[in-house]
Amino acid sequence: MLPIYQLIVRILMPALLYMTHSGYAEEKSYPSLWQSHDAALQTSLEQLLDQQQLSQAVAKQQLAIALVDISTLSQPKLAAVNGDRMFYAASLPKIAILLAAFVQIDRGELQLDDALWADMNSMIRTSSNRAASNVLAKVGPDKLIDIISSEQFALYDEDRNGGLWVGKAYAKSPAYQRDPLQNLSHAATAIQAARFYYLLETGQLVNSELTSQMKSVLTDPKISHKFVKGLNLVPELALYRKSGTWRDYHADSVMVDDGQHKYIMVGLAHHAEGGQWLERLALPLHKLITESK
């Protein structure tokens, strides 16, 4: 007869192996951003928009803002206006291409070689359309849509009025699949863009090593406008960012870490002055998080 400790190991080992293999042993539970609305932060955001004379733009659905305090990762605080409204978002949804590439790398379906690494950095930091189209071709358009729409990520969710969408290469070619709800080729909602950064920061997208590499791609933005320009006066900020501009569509998204506070802000605008709106909102939004009592 086996000693009792060997019997226990024999009984428990399959479950332990399953838990370790599936990641369950290291998994932490984080709340949904849609269940993390904070009434005080919401009031402060709406008051700020009124002070900046942007309440009418919000009412006309020309402006969407999502602001998420993630200083305590397990207790995010969300405030948003038009947070679930789809906007044409130009280059901002290139973060969906980045995600799809890293997910396929994580699954062993794509090799992270020097060429892919260079293209991903150019796609995000300088917003190169050529590089974005290169990465998209390697990922595969259908695979990208499957990944962002999957139950695992749900960064495009018809029950939440959509989200991140890439249905066209960043080149002079027709759309291969417009989003089912608004018929847009490159789109986002403010909350879904914010969810991308929250899922990234909480390690819910890819493994820890690839998470660090993904974050490194999002650092050191080379285009200083909108939120980045508005935050230029604040010293020693770590920024993880992707923006987009096309005609009078202006989009920006950034995760900010000042050492004591960490937050996400996303702005989507459809107005000729939308870029200026986001620039002048950046510092006041920063102060809502860092100077709150």
Side-chain angles (χ1 to χ4, degrees), residues 133-146:
S133 296
N134 288 346
V135 180
L136 178 60
K138 291 179 181 179
V139 166
D142 292 338
K143 283 282 187 72
L144 182 148
I145 290 173
D146 287 345

Side-chain angles (χ1 to χ4, degrees), residues 4 8 10 22 33 65-66 75 82-83 90-91 94 122 148 150 153 166 170 173 176 196 241 275-276 278 285:
I4 187 65
I8 292 171
R10 180 170 289 187
S22 66
L33 287 191
I65 298 289
Q75 298 176 343
N82 293 324
S91 289
K94 290 174 183 176
S122 295
I148 61 175
S150 67
F153 303 115
V166 177
Y170 284 90
S173 58
Y176 51 80
F196 165 85
R241 187 258 194 141
Q276 286 76 24
L278 300 183
L285 289 172

Side-chain angles (χ1 to χ4, degrees), residues 93-224:
K94 290 174 183 176
I95 58 176
I97 303 176
L98 182 71
L99 168 64
F102 271 98
V103 167
Q104 288 187 289
I105 293 165
D106 199 17
R107 294 173 179 173
E109 299 171 0
L110 192 61
Q111 181 181 356
L112 181 54
D113 56 22
D114 290 344
L116 179 57
W117 180 252
D119 276 338
M120 288 194 297
N121 279 274
S122 295
M123 172 178 74
I124 299 299
R125 289 183 177 145
T126 63
S127 205
S128 166
N129 288 337
R130 177 200 57 78
S133 296
N134 288 346
V135 180
L136 178 60
K138 291 179 181 179
V139 166
D142 292 338
K143 283 282 187 72
L144 182 148
I145 290 173
D146 287 345
I147 288 168
I148 61 175
S149 304
S150 67
E151 185 176 345
Q152 179 181 0
F153 303 115
L155 285 163
Y156 184 88
D157 185 347
E158 291 190 34
D159 292 336
R160 298 285 189 180
N161 203 40
L164 292 175
W165 188 265
V166 177
K168 180 185 181 299
Y170 284 90
K172 293 182 179 179
S173 58
Y176 51 80
Q177 187 172 339
R178 293 180 177 273
D179 94 90
L181 296 177
Q182 302 294 332
N183 200 40
L184 296 170
S185 58
H186 304 125
T189 64
I191 292 178
Q192 286 282 37
R195 278 190 70 239
F196 165 85
Y197 291 96
Y198 182 61
L199 295 175
L200 175 66
E201 189 62 12
T202 53
Q204 298 183 75
L205 296 181
V206 288
N207 70 48
S208 58
E209 180 181 352
L210 292 179
T211 294
S212 295
Q213 291 177 315
M214 228 175 139
K215 288 179 67 175
S216 75
V217 173
L218 290 157
T219 60
D220 192 22
K222 300 299 185 184
I223 304 173
S224 181

Side-chain angles (χ1 to χ4, degrees), residues 38 89 229 233:
D38 184 84
K229 187 175 181 180
L233 295 178

Side-chain angles (χ1 to χ4, degrees), residues 20 33 48 83 117 125 134 150 193 224 228 230 246 249 270-271 290:
T20 303
L33 287 191
L48 169 60
W117 180 252
R125 289 183 177 145
N134 288 346
S150 67
S224 181
V228 169
W246 186 73
Y249 290 92
H270 183 194
H271 191 277
T290 59

Side-chain angles (χ1 to χ4, degrees), residues 13-24:
M13 185 58 70
L16 291 170
L17 286 172
Y18 170 76
M19 289 163 64
T20 303
H21 177 72
S22 66
Y24 180 80

